[in-house]
Amino acid sequence: MTDVRPTSGAASGVLHTLFRTDQGGHEQVVLCQDRESGLRAVIAIHSTALGPALGGTRFYPYASDEEAVLDALNLSRGMSYKNALAGLDHGGGKAVIIGDPDLIKTEQLLLTYGRFVASLGGRYVTACDVGTYVRDMDVVARENRWTTGRSPENGGAGDSSVLTAFGVFQGMRAAARAQWGEPTLRGRRVGIAGVGKVGHHLVEHLVEDGAEVVITDVRAEAVERITARYPQVTAVRDADVLIRTPLDVYAPCALGGALNDETVAALTATVVCGAANNQLAHPGVEKDLADRGILYAPDYVVNAGGVIQVADELHGFDFERAKAKATKIFDTTLAIFDRAKADGIPPAAAADRLAEQRMAEARASR
């Protein structure tokens, strides 16, 4: 195993982000490579002010190494804010493994990755994310005791997408309360972009609540699984069609960057609340949403159910205890809407302020 440095061009962009922009401020970034297994990974620790950094491992075929590093930086920063507002005693961290998991994921690669994480001595606790699953964390845990999201058979909490979807539903209920006066989606049309690990659980909550659900996904089998179980759910061709479909709520539940200048201008929904991380493509999108009268439930607030679940695993997992904590996402989301209204700022800015306040208080108490 060897640590490697990026090429000079990539280094210039990454170092500028780390040291000279608001998107930086990370405590530590580790670049990992093992040619025998094919592992190339980035581990980014944004903050340990509240405790060991906690966040998942994303396995994805990035277009470039620099794109992978920047994704790790963005995701780990988001985890700091997410963990702070979830009331967890954890900072923010994230890892990305570069490559197509369907092609290069092997037991040897995962074990090697586990050794890299273990070398950080507990500063970073890993879990599942896009492209990684419970069975993968079971393998990683064989080399790294700071692993969550393992199977129940191996002392873990299992699939964290269950409480992630539950938390998003609580945030959506809070948005409905703020926008329409009642904490229910009954009679509302909700469009979900991405019905994979989290999205298909969210469909279940919404159908039970009496919502009309419209879905899309790049994978036909994911759509077919939903429509076979829930014939009343409607499917559309892609996300571009979905955002232009008459909706009350738009729920981005795939990869980040779903809310940009074009999509915000085209949105018909008056509430945005979904599970995807980093939904705002660039600074200023949150103001564009507010200017259009669209209530945005900050992604890292409402999708915190999963990290609540895996954090509980570190203390001997109890599902009901974790679910009770995830239920509080409803109250946290309402508090953010109230703070935004009082301060005259978008909800995303209000959430950031509350998270930064908690982290600052933790640093001061040290």
Side-chain angles (χ1 to χ4, degrees):
M1 296 187 297
T2 56
D3 283 333
V4 297
R5 296 180 179 181
T7 62
S8 59
S12 175
V14 170
L15 291 177
H16 178 78
T17 298
L18 277 172
F19 298 140
R20 300 185 185 279
T21 73
D22 292 338
Q23 285 74 45
H26 293 67
E27 294 180 11
Q28 185 176 9
V29 179
V30 180
L31 306 179
C32 315
Q33 177 175 262
D34 179 69
R35 291 183 177 176
E36 183 178 350
S37 66
L39 175 73
R40 289 186 299 139
V42 183
I43 304 171
I45 298 174
H46 178 259
S47 172
T48 57
L50 294 170
L54 171 62
T57 297
R58 178 165 295 189
F59 205 139
Y60 189 75
Y62 293 95
S64 68
D65 294 345
E66 184 174 21
E67 181 183 313
V69 176
L70 292 175
D71 200 31
L73 297 181
N74 289 333
L75 291 167
S76 59
R77 184 177 64 254
M79 289 305 305
S80 288
Y81 286 69
K82 179 186 295 190
N83 292 339
L85 285 181
L88 301 176
D89 295 327
H90 284 282
K94 204 80 171 187
V96 301
I97 298 175
I98 303 168
D100 187 336
D102 292 334
L103 298 178
I104 71 168
K105 186 193 293 182
T106 63
E107 180 178 84
Q108 181 186 9
L109 182 147
L110 293 172
L111 290 172
T112 302
Y113 170 68
R115 290 193 289 274
F116 271 113
V117 177
S119 72
L120 297 174
R123 281 176 52 78
Y124 169 59
V125 181
T126 195
C128 302
D129 196 75
V130 174
T132 58
Y133 301 87
V134 170
R135 61 181 179 273
D136 299 325
M137 292 304 107
D138 284 344
V139 175
V140 171
R142 285 157 51 188
E143 291 286 351
N144 173 49
R145 65 189 181 93
W146 294 286
T147 303
T148 59
R150 296 164 294 156
S151 66
E153 295 78 14
N154 287 279
D159 184 6
S160 63
S161 64
V162 174
L163 285 189
T164 301
F166 178 74
V168 173
F169 180 61
Q170 298 309 313
M172 203 176 286
R173 290 179 60 243
R177 166 83 172 270
Q179 195 78 324
W180 301 301
E182 295 291 336
T184 179
L185 283 305
R186 180 171 298 279
R188 302 292 175 183
R189 178 181 281 184
V190 181
I192 303 177
V195 285
K197 287 197 291 186
V198 175
H200 82 275
H201 290 299
L202 182 58
V203 170
E204 180 178 357
H205 290 301
L206 289 167
V207 169
E208 289 179 354
D209 195 37
E212 179 184 351
V213 180
V214 186
I215 64 171
T216 191
D217 197 293
V218 295
R219 298 158 302 158
E221 64 272 18
V223 172
E224 290 166 2
R225 176 175 63 167
I226 296 296
T227 55
R229 183 176 179 184
Y230 303 106
Q232 69 270 44
V233 170
T234 303
V236 297
R237 185 180 68 248
D238 55 35
D240 287 338
V241 173
L242 184 64
I243 62 173
R244 290 169 172 80
T245 299
L247 301 172
D248 295 299
V249 181
Y250 175 56
C253 293
L255 297 178
L259 300 173
N260 55 40
D261 296 337
E262 292 182 0
T263 56
V264 170
L267 271 175
T268 62
T270 55
V271 168
V272 173
C273 179
N277 289 309
N278 298 326
Q279 293 171 23
L280 305 179
H282 59 78
V285 174
E286 69 282 2
K287 185 177 184 303
D288 294 338
L289 288 165
D291 289 346
R292 287 205 58 212
I294 300 170
L295 182 63
Y296 172 62
D299 49 50
Y300 69 80
V301 176
V302 302
N303 68 13
V307 76
I308 289 171
Q309 178 169 327
V310 297
D312 193 85
E313 183 178 323
L314 297 171
H315 308 286
F317 182 62
D318 183 298
F319 182 81
E320 292 305 320
R321 178 176 63 198
K323 185 177 181 181
K325 196 159 194 174
T327 301
K328 296 178 182 177
I329 290 173
F330 176 86
D331 297 320
T332 302
T333 307
L334 279 180
I336 288 166
F337 292 150
D338 289 343
R339 174 72 177 265
K341 186 175 181 180
D343 292 354
I345 56 176
D352 287 353
R353 287 184 183 181
L354 288 170
E356 288 162 0
Q357 178 180 335
R358 184 172 182 230
M359 288 187 280
E361 290 171 351
R363 284 191 290 268
S365 68
R366 281 180 167 181

